[in-house]
Amino acid sequence: MADDLGDEWWKSEAAGGGGGSADPSDNEEKEKDTNMIEMMQQEPTPVPASPKPKECFLLPAKEKDEGAPKTKKRRKKKISDLLAKSEPKPGVPEDLQKLVMDQLSIKRSVIELEELKLPDSCFLPANDLSHSLSSYLKQICPKWAKLRKNHKEKKSLVMLIICSSALRALELIRSTSAFKGECKVLKLFAKHIKIQEQVKLLEKGVVHLGVGTPGRIKALIQQDVLNLNSLKYLVFDWNWRDQKLRRLMDIPEIRKEVLELLEMRLISLCRADSLKLGLF
């Protein structure tokens, strides 16, 4: 009987782990094992990948279709293109007459326009592009020597030549050497010459011939320094062209000043038959 009780106690000890209460160190080890298994089963957090550098690719050039029609850009016509196709034509009195009417007809009545018309009788023969300046002036003014000797009035001129620039004025003055004789010539432009200097020259002595730009000539007339009473000849440097192949009246600011100058008093002198116009 005692042997049977001992066997049962041994079996219960073996099955129950050595008694009625469990060892706490065993429980802690089990928890550690469980935590380790859970940590191993958790998925690792992904590390963001560093951005790759962008690559640039050159696209191959498109092959031109030889059979396709080519579109040409429309190019503006230049004065040089027009001159290349046709010979330059000399200016004629009708050119100036038409220009005056077209430009001055704005905001003017019919009666006012009649007073601005340049009569045919005031025009001298125009240069046919075969003359030098001296030969042309000799043709239109054969009695220049007499006019020069009889002119005694200060602040006035006998002949006035209008051009587009100071450099052109100097060139024209040199070209008058065979015509002018002993007359006094005055430069009437603004470049490098103050208007006070020109005023002194007009007031001090007698001047026969003036060559210059319309802007400075207009300013002298407005200041009552240049008197037009003795003026007999007005010549426009009409046919000469600058580096851009523009003539005198092709330059907008010059054209405007010439028209203002004509309107001031020159047209009325032409209508009174006391002033003659020439186109060189």
Side-chain angles (χ1 to χ4, degrees), residues 28-187:
E28 291 178 358
E29 291 180 358
K30 288 181 180 180
E31 289 179 1
K32 289 181 180 180
D33 294 339
T34 305
N35 293 335
M36 288 290 292
I37 294 171
E38 289 178 355
M39 290 177 65
M40 293 176 65
Q41 289 178 351
Q42 288 179 356
E43 296 181 358
T45 56
V47 179
S50 59
K52 294 182 179 180
K54 294 183 179 180
E55 298 181 359
C56 297
F57 297 95
L58 294 175
L59 297 175
K62 293 183 179 179
E63 296 182 357
K64 295 182 179 180
D65 189 2
E66 296 180 357
K70 296 180 180 179
T71 57
K72 294 182 178 180
K73 291 184 178 180
R74 195 171 182 179
R75 187 170 65 91
K76 291 183 179 180
K77 290 184 178 180
K78 298 181 179 179
I79 298 177
S80 57
D81 298 333
L82 299 175
L83 291 176
K85 295 180 181 179
S86 61
E87 295 182 359
K89 297 180 180 179
V92 292
E94 290 79 8
D95 296 336
L96 182 56
Q97 289 172 321
K98 184 177 183 304
L99 179 67
V100 170
M101 285 293 99
D102 292 345
Q103 297 294 323
L104 299 182
S105 62
I106 303 172
K107 297 181 180 181
R108 284 177 173 83
S109 63
V110 178
I111 298 175
E112 290 174 335
L113 285 177
E114 283 294 327
E115 296 177 354
L116 295 175
K117 282 185 178 180
L118 291 169
D120 296 338
S121 59
C122 74
F123 284 94
L124 298 163
N127 179 24
D128 58 0
L129 304 182
S130 64
H131 284 281
S132 65
L133 181 57
S134 289
S135 65
Y136 177 69
L137 295 179
K138 287 180 180 179
Q139 179 188 7
I140 64 174
C141 184
K143 298 181 179 181
W144 173 250
K146 184 178 180 180
L147 288 172
R148 173 175 54 82
K149 289 179 181 179
N150 293 336
H151 179 61
K152 305 296 183 182
E153 187 179 353
K154 296 180 181 180
K155 299 172 60 177
S156 63
L157 303 168
V158 178
M159 181 180 291
L160 183 59
I161 301 175
I162 296 178
C163 59
S164 59
S165 67
L167 291 176
R168 178 58 179 168
L170 295 174
E171 183 180 345
L172 290 173
I173 291 172
R174 290 192 293 267
S175 300
T176 60
S177 57
F179 165 78
K180 63 182 181 179
E182 297 179 358
C183 77
K184 187 172 182 180
V185 182
L186 183 60
K187 303 170 185 175

Side-chain angles (χ1 to χ4, degrees), residues 164-165 239-248 251:
S164 59
S165 67
N239 297 299
W240 181 79
R241 296 181 184 273
D242 61 9
Q243 292 181 349
K244 296 181 180 179
L245 300 179
R246 298 176 301 178
R247 295 182 301 177
L248 179 72
I251 306 171

